[in-house]
Amino acid sequence: TCRACQRHSECDSGVCAKDGSGASFGVPQGSCVPVEQVMVVNQELCTSDGPVFCTLKQALAQIDMKRRYIVVRKSAVASDFSDLQIGNQASHQQYPITLIGPLADGPPTSVSSPPLVNLGGVSSKDSLTITSSRVVVEGFPILNGQAGIVCQGAGAQVRVVRSFFSGNDTALLATAGCSLTVEQCWFGRGPDSSVFRGSPMNGRTIDVTASDFWVISSVLADNGDPRRLDGFGGVRVRSLSVGSRSRSGILNSTFLQQSSLIKSGKYYQGVLCDVGVGDRLVVMNTLLWSDAALQTMPEEHYIDPTCGASLHHNASNDPALNSMNADKSLVLPMDPGPFASAKTRDLHLGPRITVEGRSPSDSGLLVLDLAPDRILAPTTDMDGRPRAQAGGTISIGAYEPTP
């Protein structure tokens, strides 16, 4: 019996169907997508009419029932990979679309050489705008644009996976009813051991208006432009979707050293809400940290209490989180910190820290029942390793502890 594929590189076509979006088109999850159903973008080997295209825009114009996957192998001119639109033709709205870049088969900071493909690069233009379409964006460096990805409209369902965002005015912008999911992505300064070391901040990271979102097993490090009045490095919720009870959340993610904004005389650098959203927003198993102790005059915190969010099994160096949730946040000492090396932005968990019998290494919550929903912790961490440890425990933050 053949096993299911797990990596795109295992398939001759360069595409493994990692989700179930192709099942109704004869491509079940875990199967290799047939070569004839995949379009390729490579500016060294291309013709304008394919099957290898010169630009992503040319390939997007050819989307149909049989060709819904695009592998981008090499780009050249930044303007050819900026100001891209998905949703402006009927086939975009009819069929699920998957875009696959060079980071798709592993953690986005693990590549050994600079990728040959970037989305973005023109500071005055949004890199990719998605409307009225179901799209997976997997494995792209998304750099130096006005907005990295704009998800707009009630028909837009966007999943961004294993991608790296840096140098954008706004990394992700969700508006007007969009449904956005972010998994295993890195925002901001990369680890010193990676090809993205020293990468510039995003002026704003994730900005949500009248939409729903999930941020899962992701890292936000050193984002937010402090010179700007709106330069917020965390997740800003201006409002959630209108007329809906859909939940949004941040699960098993890590926030480190985000630029803050002031509200009611206090600074917040993790999650900020323009209006109260109550338990429609869940923050669970998330690690929030800073390079130095939070300032006290004026006060600095991670999560804006006026959000009214439902908080569960988080960890930080902010005792104020304990007054905001019933199950008590894990308050960690500044020294030793929770990471392998915060200074070099190696944000894997470091040596085990225990506070009152609890540790970020194994104090995560597997299941949260919040009527009418059952919210499950992710099954894999930022590195793609299984979450469940011996005894059925999981960590807090983007990474499980390394053996």
Side-chain angles (χ1 to χ4, degrees), residues 81-280:
F81 290 82
S82 298
D83 198 23
L84 297 165
Q85 308 285 328
I86 299 179
N88 58 356
Q89 63 187 60
S91 61
H92 293 178
Q93 300 172 26
Q94 190 171 1
Y95 306 116
I97 298 169
T98 300
L99 309 180
I100 300 166
L103 310 180
D105 270 346
T109 58
S110 68
V111 290
S112 58
S113 58
L116 298 177
V117 172
N118 296 325
L119 292 186
V122 179
S123 61
S124 61
K125 295 182 178 180
D126 298 335
S127 302
L128 174 62
T129 299
I130 300 169
T131 58
S132 304
S133 303
R134 293 164 291 162
V135 181
V136 175
V137 179
E138 183 179 3
F140 283 92
I142 302 174
L143 312 175
N144 305 321
Q146 179 69 18
I149 295 178
V150 178
C151 174
Q152 183 175 323
Q157 299 176 32
V158 178
R159 181 169 168 253
V160 186
V161 188
R162 286 180 290 279
S163 293
F164 185 91
F165 291 80
S166 172
N168 300 286
D169 180 271
T170 303
L172 283 171
L173 186 61
T175 67
C178 155
S179 176
L180 173 68
T181 301
V182 180
E183 298 179 61
Q184 297 172 310
C185 289
W186 189 293
F187 298 83
R189 175 185 161 189
D192 286 1
S193 61
S194 79
V195 299
F196 297 115
R197 60 185 171 274
S199 48
M201 65 185 173
N202 298 287
R204 301 186 302 175
T205 307
I206 301 175
D207 197 283
V208 179
T209 302
S211 298
D212 297 315
F213 73 96
W214 289 91
V215 177
I216 303 168
S217 294
S218 294
V219 171
L220 284 71
D222 302 272
N223 295 285
D225 187 345
R227 300 166 298 181
R228 293 172 43 170
L229 292 176
D230 64 346
F232 186 60
V235 176
R236 184 170 185 175
V237 181
R238 299 179 187 269
S239 59
L240 295 179
S241 58
V242 178
S244 168
R245 282 297 302 168
S246 297
R247 280 200 162 92
S248 294
I250 302 169
L251 307 180
N252 284 92
S253 292
T254 295
F255 289 56
L256 175 63
Q257 198 62 31
Q258 310 306 312
S259 177
S260 56
L261 286 183
I262 195 165
K263 180 178 179 181
S264 301
K266 297 179 182 180
Y267 283 100
Y268 299 98
Q269 63 163 274
V271 180
L272 182 71
C273 296
D274 289 25
V275 296
V277 294
D279 68 2
R280 284 189 61 191

Side-chain angles (χ1 to χ4, degrees), residues 15-92:
V15 182
C16 170
K18 296 183 181 181
D19 60 30
S21 64
S24 59
F25 301 94
V27 184
Q29 183 173 354
S31 65
C32 288
V33 176
V35 172
E36 59 271 17
Q37 295 188 24
V38 177
M39 293 181 280
V40 175
V41 176
N42 186 330
Q43 292 198 331
E44 286 189 344
L45 304 172
C46 65
T47 59
S48 60
D49 56 353
V52 179
F53 295 89
C54 300
T55 70
L56 188 50
K57 187 176 293 186
Q58 291 170 348
L60 286 167
Q62 302 301 317
I63 289 288
D64 58 25
M65 184 174 68
K66 293 184 178 180
R67 298 192 297 179
R68 298 171 292 101
Y69 301 89
I70 302 175
V71 178
V72 185
R73 299 199 186 281
K74 189 169 184 180
S75 59
V77 181
S79 59
D80 286 339
F81 290 82
S82 298
D83 198 23
L84 297 165
Q85 308 285 328
I86 299 179
N88 58 356
Q89 63 187 60
S91 61
H92 293 178

